[in-house]
Amino acid sequence: MLDRIGRLIAAFLQAPVTDCAGATPFPFDALLHALRPCDVILIEGNTRISSPIKYLTQSTWSHSALYVGQHRDLRHAIIEADLEQGVIIAAIEKYKDVHIRICRPSGLNPRDQARIIRFAAERVGNGYDLQNIFDLIRYLVPLPVPRRFRRRMISLGSGDPTRAICSTLIAQAFQHVGYPILPRIETHDPRRSRWGNEAEIMHIRHHSLFVPRDFDLSPFFEIVKPPLRPDFDFHDVEWSSARDGAETACP
């Protein structure tokens, strides 16, 4: 019964709240050309559930997906934890009309890339952590929440290993090969170090504590934008007259 109620709520939360699209500012074909396997795709989103996620994480991003490239008949496939369908493989074209960002892990070799993708692919068919929906529903009303509590609110969930939410699935996949995202770094006093120099030890954060913006903030992920054409000259840009009026911004 709770599962059925959760799915009904999920369908409600997935509905768009505005017709204002935040499309990517560069051609989508250029974005597809720039993508590489294991890139993390961040999505802004304009659904009912996007607003509380963006509020709690204090960021633009409400969803994330793992790019895997060619998969069967899909040329540009992603793996994501969908609110209604659970962990699925889908075409990235579903996000053609929203604002997205590419975050690329540095220094991954082909073997590690394959292990990360395989880890995520093995979880296709797992359900979405519907407990997370009930946790989020309490925050649909915009109440002031102290900053130190926001991350915990977004990462409550049930802890069921057969269920996932978008960012925790990707965090688990990268942690599977020991790749850092936003570790807690402990610096030792060089005066007390055995080797006489400063040493840093990274402590792994639990995967349930990761949110989409962490891949944006991580120093271990490069922000990738499609390159401008070689002959680009800003002098050739045609600007509209100020009298034409400004476009209406998304709220």
Side-chain angles (χ1 to χ4, degrees), residues 161-196:
T162 65
R163 296 181 179 272
I165 59 177
C166 64
S167 51
T168 63
L169 171 67
I170 299 174
Q172 281 182 291
F174 279 95
Q175 288 181 347
H176 177 63
V177 300
Y179 193 88
I181 303 172
L182 271 182
R184 182 173 61 85
I185 300 178
E186 178 184 349
T187 303
H188 288 271
D189 187 339
R191 293 172 299 179
R192 299 181 181 179
S193 171
R194 176 181 302 180
W195 308 109

Side-chain angles (χ1 to χ4, degrees), residues 75-205:
R75 185 178 177 186
H76 298 284
I78 58 173
I79 297 177
E80 62 178 342
D82 181 82
L83 194 62
E84 294 185 79
Q85 303 176 68
V87 181
I88 60 171
I89 296 179
I92 194 176
E93 283 80 4
K94 68 185 290 187
Y95 296 116
K96 184 176 182 178
D97 297 322
V98 298
H99 184 204
I100 69 177
R101 170 165 290 173
I102 302 173
C103 298
R104 178 166 299 160
S106 299
L108 279 183
N109 58 45
R111 180 174 178 272
D112 289 332
Q113 289 179 343
R115 290 178 63 196
I116 289 171
I117 292 173
R118 183 168 59 249
F119 181 94
E122 288 173 350
R123 280 142 186 83
V124 170
N126 285 1
Y128 190 91
D129 193 344
L130 297 178
Q131 178 62 45
N132 185 256
I133 296 176
F134 292 105
D135 294 332
L136 282 173
I137 228 171
R138 294 176 294 168
Y139 304 105
L140 290 176
V141 178
L143 298 175
V145 178
R147 182 181 297 273
R148 64 183 181 277
F149 296 131
R150 289 173 184 153
R151 183 178 292 266
R152 286 290 181 181
M153 289 175 178
I154 206 72
S155 62
L156 295 178
S158 65
D160 187 338
T162 65
R163 296 181 179 272
I165 59 177
C166 64
S167 51
T168 63
L169 171 67
I170 299 174
Q172 281 182 291
F174 279 95
Q175 288 181 347
H176 177 63
V177 300
Y179 193 88
I181 303 172
L182 271 182
R184 182 173 61 85
I185 300 178
E186 178 184 349
T187 303
H188 288 271
D189 187 339
R191 293 172 299 179
R192 299 181 181 179
S193 171
R194 176 181 302 180
W195 308 109
N197 58 355
E198 186 173 295
E200 292 183 343
I201 296 179
M202 294 187 181
H203 297 269
I204 298 175
R205 297 179 189 271

Side-chain angles (χ1 to χ4, degrees), residues 8-64:
L8 290 173
I9 295 174
F12 171 79
L13 295 177
Q14 284 280 71
V17 294
T18 175
D19 293 329
C20 184
T24 180
F26 35 77
F28 195 72
D29 287 344
L31 180 141
L32 294 179
H33 184 72
L35 284 167
R36 300 290 182 271
C38 281
D39 283 351
V40 176
I41 309 298
L42 304 183
I43 297 108
E44 182 172 2
N46 66 337
T47 60
R48 289 188 176 99
I49 198 171
S50 297
S51 294
I53 293 175
K54 288 188 282 189
Y55 166 71
L56 291 172
T57 62
Q58 290 294 281
S59 75
T60 301
W61 315 112
S62 63
H63 185 57
S64 56

